[in-house]
Amino acid sequence: MTDSDFVPLIKSGKIERKIKQIAKVLDKKYGQEDVCFVCVLKGAVIFYSKLLKYIKNKNVELDFVEVKSYCGTTSTGEVKMLKDISIDIKNKHLVLVEDIIDTGLTAKFMCEHFKKQKPKSILMCSLLQKPDKLSVDLNMETLVAFNIPNKFIIGYGLDLDEKYRNLKDILILKENK
Ligand code: IMP
Ligand code: MG
């Protein structure tokens, strides 16, 4: 694919200004309470590392979970957990850091999975959401940086078959590509 196959949607400068605001919201919400920030691999990795640099809370633990539900540009409808966390989240606030909420299946799956470990609270903090695609009742607290149209996007951690995660802006893949 070439540059002409993609249309810019959100530039990195705008994304980073918004991430700073999200960090402030999270610091205000939790203060110095115990918070576990769990990165949902692989898509959230860039958002997560930027966000954590701005969090001022000293009582933060980090961990990673890996799930997969997409094949090419469509959701398979089935969420698979490839890697679970190893820290103890009992009685601590849990913040799941995601790249995007699309159908909502992954978010719902993770919420149900982590609820069993009895965290004090669960928040899904996602860089993006496609509100028109939501197909489940999420029934969890969410904090979303940008709502976007129902288009397949790449960059800033998001991939198409594992490529383009390193691109600094968020780009729309032109239809019929
Ligand atoms: P959901 O389970 O349908 O909400 O999808 C969540 C996962 O699908 C996200 O965490 C992404 O990894 C992936 N995904 C959804 N939409 C896109 C997209 O437009 N581009 C790249 N990945 C996407
Ligand atoms: Mg993801």
Side-chain angles (χ1 to χ4, degrees):
M1 286 208 222
T2 64
D3 283 356
S4 63
D5 295 324
F6 304 107
V7 189
L9 180 67
I10 316 172
K11 294 272 190 189
S12 60
K14 188 171 174 182
I15 303 170
E16 278 158 35
R17 284 194 295 280
K18 192 76 175 194
I19 293 177
K20 276 189 196 169
Q21 291 172 8
I22 297 272
K24 276 193 186 148
V25 172
L26 294 171
D27 271 331
K28 197 165 173 212
K29 183 173 172 70
Y30 301 112
Q32 293 297 319
E33 287 190 68
D34 289 330
V35 186
C36 300
F37 280 88
V38 171
C39 175
V40 184
L41 294 170
K42 301 172 191 167
V45 73
I46 295 177
F47 173 41
Y48 182 78
S49 54
K50 294 273 176 198
L51 179 69
L52 267 296
K53 285 200 303 184
Y54 298 122
I55 297 286
K56 295 200 171 79
N57 184 355
K58 305 278 189 303
N59 296 306
V60 156
E61 289 171 68
L62 310 187
D63 208 343
F64 301 85
V65 66
E66 185 168 6
V67 291
K68 200 172 175 70
S69 65
Y70 251 64
C71 183
T73 60
T74 43
S75 171
T76 61
E78 187 197 352
V79 185
K80 277 194 195 130
M81 182 167 285
L82 306 179
K83 183 213 169 296
D84 203 347
I85 58 169
S86 53
I87 56 171
D88 181 9
I89 60 171
K90 195 171 177 191
N91 296 327
K92 299 170 191 165
H93 297 288
L94 172 64
V95 179
L96 294 166
V97 182
E98 249 294 26
D99 53 356
I100 187 163
I101 302 172
D102 182 42
T103 61
L105 275 171
T106 308
K108 203 176 169 73
F109 171 90
M110 283 193 296
C111 185
E112 278 161 16
H113 175 79
F114 289 119
K115 241 186 213 166
K116 293 177 202 148
Q117 298 175 36
K118 308 250 183 313
K120 195 168 183 180
S121 68
I122 303 180
L123 172 72
M124 168 64 64
C125 176
S126 183
L127 178 62
L128 304 159
Q129 179 165 14
K130 294 180 198 164
D132 294 346
K133 277 284 286 293
L134 195 65
S135 67
V136 294
D137 181 7
L138 271 187
N139 203 15
M140 68 191 293
E141 196 185 351
T142 58
L143 178 62
V144 174
F146 299 99
N147 282 310
I148 61 163
N150 184 11
K151 303 272 184 208
F152 192 81
I153 49 132
I154 48 117
Y156 216 88
L158 290 110
D159 71 312
L160 170 58
D161 289 337
E162 299 300 334
K163 285 188 182 164
Y164 314 114
R165 294 191 194 275
N166 58 309
L167 302 185
K168 70 178 172 58
D169 301 323
I170 293 173
L171 309 163
I172 297 177
L173 176 65
K174 280 190 191 163
E175 261 148 52
N176 72 34
K177 286 296 158 195

